[in-house]
């Protein structure tokens, strides 16, 4: 599909792409670049690519597809390094979880003749680094692409075909709309998880050991999300501020209503909401985005305390 793919950043997402490219034979060569020598050495030991370099410009030279896979906060500096080395006709893409900001900071720096097709695979785990990736991560998950309306159709089609080859479903979307959608489906849920785990950690009347011991009551499912990469998520909230604040405002209003229902002992209001939300979970399972198995498909009997 491509002569040379360059991946700048080789953590969970970059290494999953690298593995998928290899498994599906999507490029003649994969060049890998990252910031730290030890991360590069780890990627090489895992055999994720063909060319390994700490110099991002060297990685992208001669590449027909370049994908930025670093935290979003690193994009501008990375772009300043690679821009002079990008080939005319190459496609520049990324996997960042926020898209409006990425358009704003990268688009002005994209050299003439380079196609810019930003993307966001809606797939991930709470783990980070080259060893955390796996080729199947994107299978049956959605990948949103947010090219500008005037972008070269052929380049967009090639990126669509690339993600489809990795097993994803692809949707084209306006960057601003993308940011609103992910604010409610991903960013606010992460903020809530970070908050509830932080609140529990700060409690004095319930001890930390009790929180950990009795976590199966619901808390532990939040801790999975709240274990997500601190730097990546810092950058998400720094760059998708408006959409997150809008959705958070809605959330807080609804939470106040729920607080009132609890205070007033309003059973019908509580039951009516919980019935609606249960139906949403069913729809997610029916859409193939979650397993039918109880308890998130956890294997029982083997985990400590179960
Ligand atoms: P990760 O596992 O933490 O990997 C980040 C990679 O970027 C590492 O190779 C790291 O290299 C490199 N890096 C970090 N800071 C850098 C800098 N200043 N300059 C150059 N390289 C730098 O992160 P990830 O989960 O793969 O996330 C990467 C991107 O994917 C983010 O933009 C995120 O928004 C997006 N994304 C993540 C998920 C998810 O669930 N994790 C889902 C969809 C999209 P060193 O070790 O060498 O520093």
């Amino acid at each position: 599909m491509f002569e040379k793919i360059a991946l700048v950043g080789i953590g969970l997402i970059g290494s999953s792409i690298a593995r998928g490219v290899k498994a599906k034979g999507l490029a003649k060569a994969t060049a890998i670049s990252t910031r730290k020598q030890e991360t590069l050495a780890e990627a090489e030991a895992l055999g994720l690519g063909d060319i390994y370099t700490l110099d991002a410009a060297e990685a992208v030279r001669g590449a027909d597809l370049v994908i930025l896979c670093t935290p979003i906060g690193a994009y501008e500096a990375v772009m300043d390094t690679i821009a002079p080395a990008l080939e005319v006709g190459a496609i520049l893409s990324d996997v960042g979880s926020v898209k409006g900001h990425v358009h704003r900071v990268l688009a002005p720096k994209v050299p003439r003749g380079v196609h810019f097709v930003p993307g966001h695979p809606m797939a991930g785990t709470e783990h980070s680094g080259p060893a955390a990736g796996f080729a199947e991560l994107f299978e049956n998950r959605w990948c949103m692409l947010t090219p500008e309306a005037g972008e070269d159709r052929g380049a967009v089609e090639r990126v669509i075909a690339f993600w489809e080859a990795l097993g994803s479903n692809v949707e084209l979307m306006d960057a601003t709309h993308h940011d609103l959608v992910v604010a409610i489906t991903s960013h606010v849920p992460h903020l809530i998880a970070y908050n509830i785990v932080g609140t529990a950690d700060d409690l004095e009347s319930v001890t930390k050991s009790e929180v950990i011991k009795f976590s199966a009551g619901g808390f532990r499912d939040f801790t999975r999300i709240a274990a997500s990469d601190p730097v990546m998520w810092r950058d998400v909230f720094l760059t998708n501020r408006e959409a997150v604040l809008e959705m958070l405002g809605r959330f807080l209003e609804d939470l106040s209503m729920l607080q009132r229902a609890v205070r007033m002992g309003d059973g019908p209001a509580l039951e009516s909401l919980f019935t609606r939300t249960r139906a949403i979970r069913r729809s997610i399972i029916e859409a193939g985005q979650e397993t039918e198995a109880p308890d998130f498909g956890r294997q029982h009997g083997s985990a400590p305390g179960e």
Side-chain angles (χ1 to χ4, degrees):
M1 197 176 266
F2 291 95
E3 290 292 317
K4 178 182 174 187
I5 294 181
L7 301 172
V8 182
I10 194 71
L12 169 71
I13 301 294
S15 75
S16 295
I17 294 175
R19 287 174 167 93
V21 165
K22 196 162 251 195
K24 304 276 164 70
L26 303 182
K28 283 192 186 153
T30 302
I32 289 171
S33 177
T34 189
R35 178 180 51 171
K36 295 185 192 146
Q37 176 59 46
E38 61 261 38
T39 309
L40 194 66
E42 193 182 347
E44 190 162 7
L46 290 164
L48 296 176
D50 308 290
I51 301 154
Y52 302 89
T53 172
L54 290 176
D55 180 357
E58 186 189 325
V60 308
R61 209 162 279 125
D64 42 357
L65 176 63
V66 174
I67 310 179
L68 305 188
C69 304
T70 69
I72 296 170
Y75 276 18
E76 271 193 275
V78 168
M79 190 62 187
D80 288 339
T81 307
I82 66 171
L86 290 169
E87 302 284 327
V88 169
I91 298 171
L92 174 68
S93 188
D94 81 311
V95 294
S97 310
V98 176
K99 296 273 66 93
H101 172 87
V102 167
H103 279 262
R104 277 191 297 279
V105 301
L106 290 192
K109 295 176 186 276
V110 177
R112 275 176 83 89
V114 172
H115 307 299
F116 184 40
V117 186
H120 175 206
M122 292 285 294
T125 74
E126 66 277 28
H127 301 297
S128 308
F134 50 100
E136 302 77 24
L137 178 65
F138 308 111
E139 277 177 14
N140 200 27
R141 296 284 167 259
W142 284 93
C143 181
M144 275 108 119
L145 300 180
T146 61
E148 300 287 352
E151 190 48 77
D152 178 71
R153 191 66 210 171
V156 176
E157 291 295 343
R158 289 185 79 193
V159 180
I160 293 175
F162 176 74
W163 282 103
E164 286 180 346
L166 291 176
S168 291
N169 308 311
V170 179
E171 186 138 325
L172 293 179
M173 204 177 267
D174 164 75
T176 308
H177 187 67
H178 163 277
D179 288 355
L180 266 183
V181 171
V182 295
I184 191 64
T185 59
S186 172
H187 302 172
V188 170
H190 274 78
L191 206 62
I192 294 166
Y194 283 124
N195 187 55
I196 196 165
V197 176
T199 302
D201 191 45
D202 288 341
L203 288 179
E204 280 157 10
S205 53
V206 178
T207 66
K208 204 173 282 187
S209 65
E210 282 175 309
V211 169
I212 292 168
K213 185 170 166 189
F214 302 120
S215 63
F219 181 74
R220 74 174 178 190
D221 291 334
F222 281 106
T223 63
R224 185 192 69 74
I225 299 177
S228 300
D229 192 74
V231 173
M232 173 199 149
W233 284 96
R234 176 201 67 192
D235 288 356
V236 165
F237 293 111
L238 290 178
T239 57
N240 198 22
R241 189 170 19 202
E242 277 175 35
V244 167
L245 289 177
E246 182 170 336
M247 291 302 172
L248 203 55
R250 295 284 295 263
F251 171 80
L252 291 172
E253 279 176 28
D254 291 343
L255 191 62
S256 297
M257 288 189 22
L258 214 45
Q259 184 183 29
R260 189 178 155 74
V262 171
R263 175 172 296 125
M264 306 301 282
D266 187 348
L270 295 171
E271 190 178 337
S272 148
L273 173 67
F274 301 165
T275 305
R276 228 166 10 108
T277 55
R278 183 178 243 193
I280 298 231
R281 172 142 182 99
R282 176 116 307 273
S283 318
I284 292 171
I285 291 167
E286 280 164 10
Q289 298 297 306
E290 174 59 293
T291 167
E292 179 97 66
D295 201 13
F296 298 97
R298 282 191 177 97
Q299 298 293 315
H300 288 274
S302 53
E306 289 192 89

